[in-house]
Amino acid sequence: MNNTHSTRRRRLPGITAIVLGGLIASVAVAPPAWSAVPGFPDPTEHTQEAYAPEADFTARWTRADARQLKAMSDPDAPSQANSMPEEYTMPTVPQDFPDMSDGQVWVWDTWTLTDGRSDQPSFKGWEVIFSLVADRTLGFDDRHTYARLGYFFRKADIPASERPVDGGWTYGGLVFPDGASGAIFEDQSFSHQTEWSGSTRIFDGNKLRIFYTDVAFYRNADGSNRKPYDPRLVQSEGRIFADENGVWLTGFRDQHELLQADGTYYQTGEQNEFFNFRDPFTFEDPAHPGKTFMVFEGNTAVDRGERACTEADMGYREGDPYAETADEAMDAGAHFQMANVGLAVATDKALRHWTFLPPILSANCVNDQTERPQIYIKDGKYYLFTITHRGTFAAGIDGPEGVYGFVGNGIRSDFEPVNRGSGLALGSPSNLNFPAGQPFAPHPDQHPGQFQAYSHYVMPDGLVQSFIDTVGTTDDFRRGGTLAPTVRVDIDGAEVTVDRTYGTDGLGQYADIPANTVHPIDPAPDTRPF
């Protein structure tokens, strides 16, 4: 464990006075920010103050915040050791993991059947999940341009210890009929058309609405773009049914386009052919009854390479000796990384019409991807969780693959990055003293778990699921394409730590994604179609 760097940084208690029965009592309280590690800047001060969802305020994940990742890394961690604090690190996944699809499909980004409160209901005695899938005859790294939405189901209310080692899931097949998702594109000359991540909501009765990213690529034979790829946020409606033998879906032929990047808040392909616009996650906010919101991944709407980062994006405190100017960061090339997390609000009950709101978080000159964002509410606090890669951090910033978290008092807040002001909530074990390599060629000095898991999704009670990418180093590694063991994190204010009492030293069963509620519907079996 990184004892030196994990204990050097601590909150310094303050004193405040409260009145108890007419007497004044002093109690220790935590100040709003962490003290600096010697040799590194202080993180930015964030208030967690909430703003109206439509307000023109965007929280910043700043350079000062993100440099805390390197500050907490042990500079003396040797080859293949984890340099990051163990309390923020996912336990190592064994290399002999099972394949949950029994050889049928690659499986990666996965989400649950949810209701408006982000609870995970079972349906007529079955748990249901949705995944990006691709045929296993494809190379694992070719899967992205051929991704389809598939689903899995398993019996609910069975203890994890009594399930098969692979989690006990049955692959139900593809969600959309062939050709349905490609029909929305006006230009049908695409070279590839694919379906990317989103979320699935269940409504009264057995109605499902799937929100996802519909994508068309327009590539030449050599792989170059003849025009930018075209991602759109789309909704499709269908029905779910179940009997004693399993779950099936119908419908999902009609596709309803919701949003395209606007070039004002969210970068377009004309501004940057490598832009990000995807991963819709919808939810109802108890603080705004009757409204449905969506968070999604975007990029700040500037032309690629524009020197648009500001001193506010740097976030250094006045007089900090380890500060850098915006010009210094951009001179190093950091301005090519301009991620944000977008917000939209539905304007109709059918959730087919949406209006953009300003981003709720920016990571300008910090990172280029804030994938699969979600809002998680606990103890009155609003947590924004998102995932990112080590390889998408900007110049001068380094951190592990994993899930990053920010806490505030509303869906639009001056979000405070969790865990020492860094944002790291749960990383794969990594060694920041050595290069990363690539999942298909991991660096020999890296920890064998650096690419073990990605696309984390935080579930009720702090359970976290993800998919396996690569386990091992250059000399001995295995590619994944199936779901990783579930882990659990304790979420307490601005602290998110691994629960080592869960499973075996923190590592639970593979693909253990339990329902935490029951969908209110007649449990009688449905009649299967002929």
Side-chain angles (χ1 to χ4, degrees), residues 37 54 57 142 146-149 181 190 214 236 241 356 384 408 411 478:
V37 169
E54 64 276 7
F57 174 85
D142 296 328
Y146 297 95
R148 299 287 300 274
L149 265 61
S181 62
F190 43 75
D214 205 346
S236 186
F241 302 89
F356 279 129
L384 169 61
I411 58 174
R478 180 186 175 196

Side-chain angles (χ1 to χ4, degrees), residues 209-230:
R209 289 191 174 110
I210 291 181
F211 303 85
Y212 74 104
T213 314
D214 205 346
V215 185
F217 290 94
Y218 300 88
R219 290 179 174 170
N220 299 309
D222 63 0
S224 62
N225 291 332
R226 68 174 185 267
K227 75 174 191 177
Y229 85 116
D230 186 357

Side-chain angles (χ1 to χ4, degrees), residues 165-431:
V165 67
D166 64 1
W169 295 95
T170 296
Y171 178 52
L174 299 176
V175 173
F176 300 141
D178 288 343
S181 62
I184 69 167
F185 296 101
E186 297 82 11
D187 184 351
Q188 289 283 301
S189 70
F190 43 75
S191 57
H192 305 81
Q193 186 271 318
T194 188
E195 300 154 11
W196 284 356
S197 294
S199 53
T200 302
R201 291 266 302 277
I202 189 166
F203 293 82
D204 292 343
N206 66 342
K207 180 187 291 186
L208 296 186
R209 289 191 174 110
I210 291 181
F211 303 85
Y212 74 104
T213 314
D214 205 346
V215 185
F217 290 94
Y218 300 88
R219 290 179 174 170
N220 299 309
D222 63 0
S224 62
N225 291 332
R226 68 174 185 267
K227 75 174 191 177
Y229 85 116
D230 186 357
R232 306 183 184 190
L233 306 188
V234 172
Q235 186 226 106
S236 186
E237 295 179 8
R239 300 281 176 173
I240 181 172
F241 302 89
D243 63 13
E244 62 276 8
N245 295 315
V247 172
W248 67 97
L249 308 176
T250 65
F252 299 112
R253 180 165 293 280
D254 293 337
Q255 311 289 308
H256 307 286
E257 181 181 311
L258 307 180
L259 294 167
Q260 296 185 50
D262 61 349
T264 300
Y265 292 130
Y266 306 107
Q267 193 177 58
T268 65
E270 288 68 35
Q271 293 169 318
N272 175 12
E273 66 174 323
F274 308 109
F275 76 116
N276 300 298
F277 183 72
R278 56 180 182 246
D279 305 343
F281 174 89
T282 73
F283 62 98
E284 297 170 10
D285 180 9
H288 298 89
K291 290 188 176 182
T292 297
F293 295 93
M294 174 198 297
V295 289
F296 55 90
E297 176 189 7
N299 287 118
T300 300
V302 297
D303 289 338
R304 178 173 169 79
E306 181 179 339
R307 293 175 65 90
C309 295
T310 67
E311 296 304 324
D313 295 320
M314 302 299 104
Y316 297 105
R317 304 187 199 187
E318 185 175 355
D320 194 316
Y322 301 103
E324 60 190 332
T325 66
D327 281 337
E328 288 171 336
M330 291 187 287
D331 287 345
H335 55 297
F336 287 96
Q337 283 71 44
M338 301 289 286
N340 67 23
V341 174
L343 184 69
V345 60
T347 57
D348 68 329
K349 295 294 186 181
L351 307 184
R352 294 185 184 179
H353 298 93
W354 295 76
T355 297
F356 279 129
L357 298 173
I360 58 173
L361 183 77
S362 67
N364 299 336
C365 273
V366 171
N367 205 305
D368 202 48
Q369 291 186 344
T370 45
E371 297 185 272
R372 297 196 65 197
Q374 61 179 118
I375 293 291
Y376 185 101
I377 302 175
K378 181 179 184 292
D379 300 331
K381 291 290 187 180
Y382 289 67
Y383 293 85
L384 169 61
F385 289 115
T386 184
I387 56 173
T388 202
H389 292 286
R390 186 178 182 190
T392 60
F393 279 104
I397 305 293
D398 200 1
E401 309 260 314
V403 57
Y404 288 76
F406 308 84
V407 59
N409 293 324
I411 58 174
R412 182 178 301 281
S413 295
D414 184 10
F415 285 109
E416 178 184 353
V418 302
N419 292 344
R420 313 181 193 184
S422 70
L424 178 62
L426 180 69
S428 284
S430 305
N431 195 323

